[in-house]
Amino acid sequence: MLSALFTQLISQIEGNATERIGLVVSLQGNYRYLRTDNRGINMALTVEEFKRYTNEIQNDEVPSIMFSMLSKVHGHLEKAMSTMSEIEHSHYGMFKIFFKQYNTILVLTRGVNYLYSPEYSYVDIKSVYVLIRSCHELYLTFNYLVTQGILAENDLREIDFKFKCYSLSGMFDNERTFELTKNFEGQKRLYLQEIAGLREKKKNLLSEIEAHPIYAVLSDESKRLVGSGRWRVGINGALSWNDLLQYTPLAKNYGQLEYHLMSMYAHSSHNSLLLEAQHDYNAEGILFHLYILSSLFMAAILRAHGLDFGFFPKREEALITEFYVFHKK
């Protein structure tokens, strides 16, 4: 059994999410503004409107309202696809994956039936946390790729540089896949057909990266990492998933704790078995972090595409505002 103190801590962390609470906000005139940083957003909701809408929204309404907002963002980006650059297409691809995983998580928290024994159903807690952890990493990846000022100040070329490093990492993964499968029956011919072209593309892209102005500001260690296929780098070395939190509005202590908890569920450790066996199946607590990630991801991708929340009804705007800053409390 897990210690009583440990299980109490986990329950408290997840249980705190079941009651949404009002937020203390600063005022400028008659409007409330989110005091975040230069990556933050401003919402023109009056305090009275914010309080009324958030008090009216019931907890069981939150999943569908958040889905509605994600769907609206998806629709706006879908209309803009024809004008998107290659980099913007990749950003939109990340958002679509996030949206699909959000929906899948909702389905799983409502319970599924055994395929060949439909009379029995269950909630797959472990898979839910694995998917929320994936959403967490997806948001951190997206935010790192679209945020300026990590590797250089006021240089728009940073986004292009990081995308090239991200693409190079994918080529390294592809090369590794070919190397691992070349000795399987029937795969040698495919390996010989593809590997030379892949290595040539990788070589050319690496040359572009090394000639990029941003590359010059990196330390020798960061240059070595980029050259070996790593994309999560800062000026002076590798960045962990938790290191990426510093470039987001997400409170670092909160983000680190959530990632730790989700990782305990995701990994096949002794704790993962005990945590699943002793889970209270509180859906609101499970989904709380997903709502925060959804709010932050929507804010980030709209900002990256020069859009805002103007197309949201104020009721939805109030909810996303609440979750956008909730993690800081």
Side-chain angles (χ1 to χ4, degrees):
M1 295 287 288
L2 291 173
S3 72
L5 180 61
F6 186 79
T7 53
Q8 181 182 1
L9 173 63
I10 300 298
S11 297
Q12 182 179 355
I13 291 167
E14 295 177 338
N16 282 344
T18 64
E19 292 298 331
R20 293 168 29 250
I21 59 177
L23 301 170
V24 178
V25 297
S26 58
L27 295 177
Q28 181 172 324
N30 195 35
Y31 293 94
R32 67 178 302 282
Y33 287 83
L34 303 187
R35 298 297 186 187
T36 54
D37 54 21
N38 62 353
R39 296 180 296 275
I41 55 174
N42 291 337
M43 301 249 190
L45 278 175
T46 66
V47 175
E48 290 73 21
E49 287 175 326
F50 176 78
K51 288 181 178 179
R52 183 174 78 252
Y53 287 126
T54 53
N55 287 333
E56 287 176 356
I57 296 172
Q58 301 300 308
N59 285 347
D60 59 6
E61 294 182 88
V62 175
S64 61
I65 297 174
M66 197 65 70
F67 180 93
S68 174
M69 288 187 283
L70 289 164
S71 182
K72 287 183 176 73
V73 174
H74 179 274
H76 275 260
L77 295 174
E78 188 75 19
K79 292 176 184 177
M81 275 192 65
S82 62
T83 61
M84 288 182 185
S85 65
E86 180 186 3
I87 295 177
E88 289 171 335
H89 268 284
S90 72
H91 296 164
Y92 179 40
M94 292 181 193
F95 180 79
K96 288 196 290 185
I97 292 171
F98 186 97
F99 189 16
K100 291 175 185 176
Q101 290 186 323
Y102 175 90
N103 185 73
T104 302
I105 291 164
L106 294 189
V107 171
L108 291 177
T109 56
R110 282 153 175 73
V112 293
N113 299 96
Y114 285 94
L115 185 60
Y116 298 111
S117 296
E119 66 274 22
Y120 299 108
S121 64
Y122 61 95
V123 175
D124 189 354
I125 289 295
K126 189 177 179 68
S127 293
V128 167
Y129 279 103
V130 168
L131 283 171
I132 297 177
R133 183 175 182 263
S134 174
C135 287
H136 182 96
E137 292 183 351
L138 192 58
Y139 166 66
L140 291 178
T141 298
F142 175 83
N143 191 78
Y144 170 81
L145 292 176
V146 303
T147 299
Q148 294 175 228
I150 298 175
L151 302 178
E153 292 186 15
N154 301 319
D155 194 333
L156 292 173
R157 295 172 297 183
E158 179 181 350
I159 293 175
D160 173 69
F161 176 77
K162 287 186 293 191
F163 180 72
K164 289 181 186 297
C165 294
Y166 186 63
S167 300
L168 181 66
S169 177
M171 292 182 182
F172 271 89
D173 289 338
N174 289 342
E175 183 180 28
R176 177 66 172 160
T177 301
F178 279 123
E179 291 294 337
L180 290 171
T181 59
K182 66 181 180 181
N183 292 322
F184 284 87
E185 184 177 353
Q187 294 299 309
K188 187 71 172 183
R189 182 177 178 182
L190 178 63
Y191 171 82
L192 294 173
Q193 287 176 341
E194 300 292 336
I195 195 66
L198 174 61
R199 286 175 174 165
E200 183 66 19
K201 289 180 181 178
K202 191 181 78 168
K203 177 183 176 182
N204 292 339
L205 182 55
L206 181 57
S207 295
E208 290 180 27
I209 289 172
E210 291 174 341
H212 201 286
I214 302 296
Y215 184 80
V217 308
L218 301 182
S219 67
D220 290 343
E221 173 62 8
S222 290
K223 290 176 180 177
R224 183 191 68 78
L225 291 170
V226 168
S228 62
R230 293 286 295 273
W231 62 268
R232 277 187 284 125
V233 298
I235 294 176
N236 294 311
L239 297 172
S240 68
W241 288 113
N242 283 333
D243 288 334
L244 296 187
L245 289 168
Q246 65 188 296
Y247 309 117
T248 76
L250 199 63
K252 188 170 183 179
N253 289 342
Y254 168 79
Q256 287 177 328
L257 175 60
E258 283 295 325
Y259 193 66
H260 170 69
L261 294 177
M262 292 184 295
S263 295
M264 282 198 293
Y265 281 98
H267 297 156
S268 298
S269 64
H270 186 245
N271 263 7
S272 71
L273 303 176
L274 297 176
L275 286 167
E276 181 177 13
Q278 298 178 26
H279 203 283
D280 63 4
Y281 296 94
N282 179 344
E284 291 167 355
I286 296 169
L287 295 173
F288 178 71
H289 185 54
L290 180 64
Y291 298 147
I292 288 177
L293 292 173
S294 299
S295 300
L296 294 173
F297 206 141
M298 283 188 280
I301 195 163
L302 288 175
R303 186 170 56 251
H305 287 261
L307 299 170
D308 57 31
F309 290 111
F311 53 84
F312 287 144
K314 284 194 173 182
R315 189 170 187 260
E316 295 181 352
E317 195 174 320
L319 183 65
I320 196 172
T321 300
E322 184 177 29
F323 280 108
Y324 189 92
V325 294
F326 209 159
H327 61 90
K328 293 184 179 295
K329 291 186 69 65

